[in-house]
Amino acid sequence: MVHNRKKDHFIAVLLIGLILFSCGKITAQETSNPAIVISKDLKWSERMALSILKRDPKAWQIDNNEKTKWDYKLGLVMTSFDKLYKETNNPLYANYIKDYAETVINSSGEILNYKLEDYNIDNINAGKMLFDLYARTKEERYLTAIKTLKKQLETHPRTNSGGFWHKKIYPNQMWLDGLYMGTPFYARYTAEFEGGQHFDDIAKQFEQIHLHTLDQKTGLLFHAWDESKQMDWANKVTGTSPNFWSRSIGWYMMALVDVLDYMPKDHPKRKELIQYLNEIAKAVAKYQDSTGLWYQVTDAGNKEGNYLEASGSEMFVYAFAKGVNQGYLPASYKKLAEKGFNGIITKLITVDADGEIHITQVCASAGLGGNPYRDGSYEYYIKEKIKTDNSHGLGPFILAALELKK
């Protein structure tokens, strides 16, 4: 009897434990919001935003993150939600941004997992969401965070020619990615808080990238440049990396059209940036596939292993459409943008029975150097992980759809 009571007690405790564990596990893994209804009659921009909200009620859950963090990719998605909120006035989108911001910026304005001394240009990007958030809430923590990020730019290491290093751990290097991470934030800050006094310095970042990464043969830009020419991936004569990666060129083009939002029309460098945009748009247009999309390695077409990649295609569509809308590019690029967007929704978007949409064929990440070492070869770019609903493909989809009013 005693033995049986002990056994029964053990079983009861075990069952209770399993129930509690199960409940806790369900709570921890709640990653969908069944209350979200996604009508097929909505524009694509809202269908994607609502799909994100349905899958990931908290923005930090995007990319299957297990906890919140200050992150450039989440900043990209928040930028798209900010623009969508301005277009729709739907508080769902503003609240999504605010809820995320409250998890990464405390009441004193300190940014979670951020270290200024890391001098990582990626860390600036999420700061773009804070300008409008501060304007809406008047919470000082967001202004404090904005000023902290600006302090990083004031002391950020530079090449001898004045370009921001991509990261302190990548000395003497400029990557195309870094132009989007740093310059739109810098441009808005100097426009709103400094009377525009640093637009020459912002233009210098584009000048250095144009000077050092432009390939005269194709008109495209190499992914990165090492001023020291010491990296194994760097050309020993030019310092450039060996290949063209569509998303990196997309980052550069988005940076151009977004910086121009803030640069005064009479600024002497404005025409130069518009010229850069026209030059890279012309080059990129030559490599648009018949589907309307672009390949992961921009100039390699259907070479074995190459694939039509979502995020780079979306970024090109966004830059083309915005460039035309703002008068920077000839009207013909609107047709190319439309063709590109049609390619995205017919070839890369999947739709669930309940209306939830997904973006496929997104390169999860790509870079140079580091450990394990990334050599910038063709084989490297085509072998990086390909994901569905990766943040790199979510934000630019919404941005492109908004510019095309889709």
Side-chain angles (χ1 to χ4, degrees):
M1 290 290 292
V2 174
H3 174 74
N4 286 340
R5 280 201 301 271
K6 284 184 176 179
K7 184 178 180 182
D8 291 343
H9 177 72
F10 172 77
I11 292 171
V13 170
L14 181 62
L15 286 171
I16 292 168
L18 287 170
I19 291 167
L20 289 172
F21 174 76
S22 176
C23 290
K25 192 173 183 182
I26 290 170
T27 302
Q29 291 185 346
E30 279 179 346
T31 56
S32 64
N33 184 349
I36 296 288
V37 177
I38 307 165
S39 169
K40 293 181 180 179
D41 295 328
L42 289 170
K43 290 183 176 179
W44 285 104
S45 55
E46 289 207 80
R47 290 173 71 180
M48 180 60 83
L50 292 172
S51 295
I52 295 168
L53 283 164
K54 182 177 174 64
R55 285 190 295 270
D56 302 306
K58 302 292 185 182
W60 58 262
Q61 295 170 320
I62 295 171
D63 292 334
N64 299 311
N65 291 319
E66 295 183 355
K67 59 184 179 180
T68 192
K69 61 179 177 177
W70 182 256
D71 180 79
Y72 80 87
K73 299 183 293 295
L74 297 179
L76 172 64
V77 178
M78 295 302 97
T79 294
S80 72
F81 269 70
D82 193 39
K83 293 194 176 186
L84 185 59
Y85 171 65
K86 290 176 184 174
E87 185 73 23
T88 64
N89 289 316
N90 187 335
L92 265 179
Y93 309 132
N95 290 339
Y96 198 59
I97 298 166
K98 187 173 185 290
D99 180 73
Y100 171 63
E102 287 173 347
T103 71
V104 287
I105 299 173
N106 68 20
S107 58
S108 300
E110 295 170 324
I111 303 171
L112 183 70
N113 68 268
Y114 169 81
K115 293 180 181 178
L116 185 151
E117 60 273 18
D118 285 349
Y119 290 114
N120 181 344
I121 203 76
D122 286 346
N123 285 337
I124 303 296
N125 189 55
K128 292 188 298 191
M129 70 178 178
L130 301 178
F131 292 96
D132 289 330
L133 186 57
Y134 173 63
R136 288 195 292 269
T137 66
K138 301 301 180 186
E139 290 188 38
E140 285 298 312
R141 63 165 118 178
Y142 301 128
L143 181 60
T144 300
I146 288 169
K147 291 184 174 179
T148 297
L149 296 171
K150 176 53 167 51
K151 284 180 183 176
Q152 177 184 324
L153 293 178
E154 290 169 4
T155 53
H156 198 98
R158 296 175 182 246
T159 64
N160 291 327
S161 52
F164 291 128
W165 288 6
H166 194 62
K167 301 179 184 180
K168 187 169 71 174
I169 60 171
Y170 299 140
N172 309 302
Q173 298 171 35
M174 293 186 75
W175 298 12
L176 299 186
D177 319 30
L179 273 291
Y180 183 79
M181 302 304 155
T183 58
F185 172 92
Y186 194 4
R188 185 162 185 181
Y189 188 95
T190 201
E192 294 188 6
F193 294 100
E194 300 176 320
Q197 64 175 300
H198 290 301
F199 277 115
D200 282 351
D201 190 36
I202 291 164
K204 179 182 286 186
Q205 308 309 310
F206 291 96
E207 289 167 348
Q208 289 302 305
I209 281 290
H210 187 267
L211 177 64
H212 296 291
T213 68
L214 177 66
D215 175 57
Q216 296 295 338
K217 182 180 177 181
T218 62
L220 299 173
L221 303 178
F222 291 107
H223 187 176
W225 166 64
D226 172 19
E227 185 180 48
S228 72
K229 303 172 186 173
Q230 296 302 305
M231 295 301 293
D232 288 344
W233 53 255
N235 182 295
K236 299 312 172 189
V237 176
T238 64
T240 59
S241 58
N243 278 287
F244 308 110
W245 179 39
S246 287
R247 186 157 78 219
S248 69
I249 300 171
W251 288 128
Y252 169 82
M253 293 179 71
M254 291 207 304
L256 279 168
V257 293
D258 288 357
V259 162
L260 285 166
D261 284 344
Y262 305 104
M263 184 171 278
K265 291 185 178 179
D266 60 352
H267 194 281
K269 297 291 185 180
R270 184 179 173 85
K271 287 183 179 179
E272 178 181 71
L273 297 193
I274 292 172
Q275 181 61 32
Y276 290 163
L277 177 63
N278 275 267
E279 289 175 9
I280 190 61
K282 182 179 179 181
V284 163
K286 290 187 298 185
Y287 295 97
Q288 187 173 23
D289 184 67
S290 60
T291 59
L293 303 172
W294 283 264
Y295 281 90
Q296 164 77 339
V297 179
T298 319
D299 65 328
N302 60 0
K303 181 178 176 180
E304 185 178 357
N306 209 11
Y307 62 95
L308 296 166
E309 198 276 329
S311 65
S313 297
E314 293 164 348
M315 291 176 179
F316 293 151
V317 168
Y318 169 70
F320 281 2
K322 186 172 181 179
V324 173
N325 291 341
Q326 297 297 324
Y328 311 140
L329 291 175
S332 57
Y333 285 95
K334 194 66 164 287
K335 291 180 181 178
L336 300 184
E338 295 274 3
K339 182 180 179 181
F341 193 79
N342 287 337
I344 292 163
I345 60 176
T346 57
K347 301 293 185 182
L348 304 180
I349 289 288
T350 62
V351 184
D352 293 348
D354 64 359
E356 182 180 334
I357 68 172
H358 306 272
I359 181 71
T360 65
Q361 291 181 212
V362 186
C363 173
S365 183
L368 296 156
N371 185 21
Y373 194 78
R374 300 167 296 180
D375 64 4
S377 64
Y378 173 81
E379 290 71 24
Y380 161 71
Y381 285 108
I382 63 169
K383 288 180 180 177
E384 276 289 17
K385 289 181 180 178
I386 302 169
K387 293 193 174 183
T388 295
D389 294 334
N390 179 270
S391 51
H392 291 104
L394 300 175
F397 179 88
I398 294 172
L399 292 172
L402 285 170
E403 283 300 323
L404 289 170
K405 302 189 183 304
K406 299 286 191 182

